[in-house]
Amino acid sequence: MSELEAVIARYRRFAEEEAPGRSTLYEQWAHAVHTAPELASVLARIPATHRQPPLVFAVSRLLGAPETEGEEWGAWVLTHADVLVAESAARSVQTNEPGRCAALLPALSQIEGPIALLEIGASAGLCLYPDRYSYRYVADTGRTRRLDPIAGPAPVVLSSDWSGPDAGLRIPTVVWRAGIDLHPLDARSAGDRRWLTGLVWPGESGRRERIDAALDMAAEEPPILRAADAAAPGVIAELALAAPPDATLVVTTPGVLAHVPWEGRRRIIDAARASGRWITIDAPRLHDGWSGPIDEAAWPKGRFALALDGEVLAAVDPLGAAVEWRPAAAGTLG
């Protein structure tokens, strides 16, 4: 398959399978690409690892593209091809959804505190504040379980659908926050905030406001953020040494391993488990760090696995919108 054919196929898949129901604007833009070879030719100039539709579309909006139908956006792309290609090549998707904390919390609740939290792929660090957010878990019975920080309800309220037995949910005590990212973002920087909120897809109601509120929290008490490749030897171990010795170190990899080559995934997992407890949110087939094989045929469609030290605890929405607590799943892992 040629580069041009790869672009057309990728954007067709996005237009038909990923954008519908989530962003009408991005659906229209993706249709424009796979139906207009001249547009696909421009995007084929972007390195393959930087031409994902959400990234290219976010860069377009950052550069001032009109947020109108595909034909007008396509005309803008042809006029601004060079700057779009250059800026897309320099950027990466750094989605920093605090809602993921609603999926992480059930696993964090299984660990005695205080906790020192180290996130891989931290972006601006918004998933390093699980103790600062409020949670509303809506059970399949209709009952809502409410959890708030000790200080009371927070500006950021994370809602998630819950199914399954009780998981002993509780707000953790986090005494240290650190993250590793190739290009960490600063919640105090107007430019970084603009890029991060710009990654929100048009049409996603309430998500930008939630991220803005979480950024305000992070700006008040910034975490330690190190610019580095977490898969490089010694990087995780070195930062882990800075954690308070009287706290339980918990290394999290929520959704980041998919962006790391296979060998790098193995090194990150090994380093995380050697440094402390390890919590991850990943597609079942993404790596072999589970306690045993996952029966993918029986796994809920569209759900990732939440695991603590490799033991699968729940099937979760990748961004935290739903949790199916199923610790019994650990018994099916062989």
Side-chain angles (χ1 to χ4, degrees):
M1 181 183 293
S2 69
E3 289 292 296
L4 182 61
E5 290 172 331
V7 170
I8 292 173
R10 178 69 186 91
Y11 279 74
R12 180 192 298 274
R13 185 169 70 253
F14 184 85
E16 296 176 351
E17 300 177 11
E18 300 174 39
R22 186 173 173 187
S23 176
T24 300
L25 182 69
Y26 279 6
E27 182 180 356
Q28 292 176 344
W29 285 7
H31 272 302
V33 173
H34 82 76
T35 57
E38 65 273 19
L39 288 181
S41 295
V42 171
L43 303 191
R45 294 163 49 192
I46 303 171
T49 54
H50 293 263
R51 67 166 78 119
Q52 309 98 308
L55 176 60
V56 173
F57 295 161
V59 169
S60 298
R61 295 166 61 211
L62 183 71
L63 295 174
E67 297 192 21
T68 52
E69 61 184 24
E71 185 175 341
E72 292 186 30
W73 173 76
W76 181 91
V77 169
L78 296 178
T79 303
H80 300 82
D82 290 344
V83 67
L84 177 63
V85 169
E87 189 68 21
S88 296
R91 296 277 183 175
S92 58
V93 175
Q94 292 179 284
T95 303
N96 202 187
E97 174 51 66
R100 282 196 175 110
C101 286
L104 292 171
L105 188 71
L108 288 169
S109 297
Q110 312 307 306
I111 301 172
E112 291 298 325
I115 288 173
L117 206 54
L118 171 55
E119 182 185 2
I120 310 304
S123 188
L126 303 188
C127 288
L128 288 169
Y129 298 84
D131 56 324
R132 301 294 181 84
Y133 302 142
S134 288
Y135 301 85
R136 304 291 182 262
Y137 291 97
V138 182
D140 43 19
T141 61
R143 180 182 177 186
T144 298
R145 173 74 186 279
R146 299 170 180 268
L147 293 96
D148 295 305
I150 295 176
V156 177
V157 180
L158 308 179
S159 297
S160 183
D161 293 330
W162 181 276
S163 61
D166 181 77
L169 295 174
R170 56 193 173 92
I171 300 291
T173 300
V174 180
V175 296
W176 185 81
R177 312 169 203 275
I180 300 171
D181 197 283
L182 291 173
H183 305 286
L185 301 178
D186 188 341
R188 298 163 296 184
S189 164
D192 284 355
R193 290 177 69 118
R194 184 183 175 206
W195 171 240
L196 191 55
T197 55
L199 286 167
V200 175
W201 295 16
E204 292 185 312
S205 177
R207 191 175 175 194
R208 179 174 183 136
E209 293 77 11
R210 181 168 62 246
I211 291 174
D212 266 327
L215 283 167
D216 288 341
M217 284 186 174
E220 290 180 1
E221 184 189 334
I224 300 167
L225 293 177
R226 179 174 178 184
D229 181 354
V235 170
I236 293 176
E238 180 183 349
L239 187 52
L241 288 174
D246 57 347
T248 300
L249 180 67
V250 179
V251 182
T252 65
T253 54
V256 69
L257 295 177
H259 304 285
V260 179
W262 182 266
E263 287 302 317
R265 294 174 199 170
R266 183 72 265 170
R267 289 193 295 270
I268 289 173
I269 292 171
D270 289 344
R273 301 187 76 161
S275 297
R277 309 297 300 272
W278 169 51
I279 296 176
T280 198
I281 298 173
D282 294 311
R285 68 175 62 184
L286 189 68
H287 54 73
D288 57 3
W290 317 112
S291 298
I294 296 176
D295 183 359
E296 291 187 53
W299 193 257
K301 184 178 180 181
R303 296 292 187 243
F304 280 19
L306 168 71
L308 172 59
D309 299 329
E311 179 183 350
V312 175
L313 299 177
V316 301
D317 174 82
L319 297 181
V323 177
E324 181 187 330
W325 185 246
R326 46 195 288 167
T332 69
L333 296 180

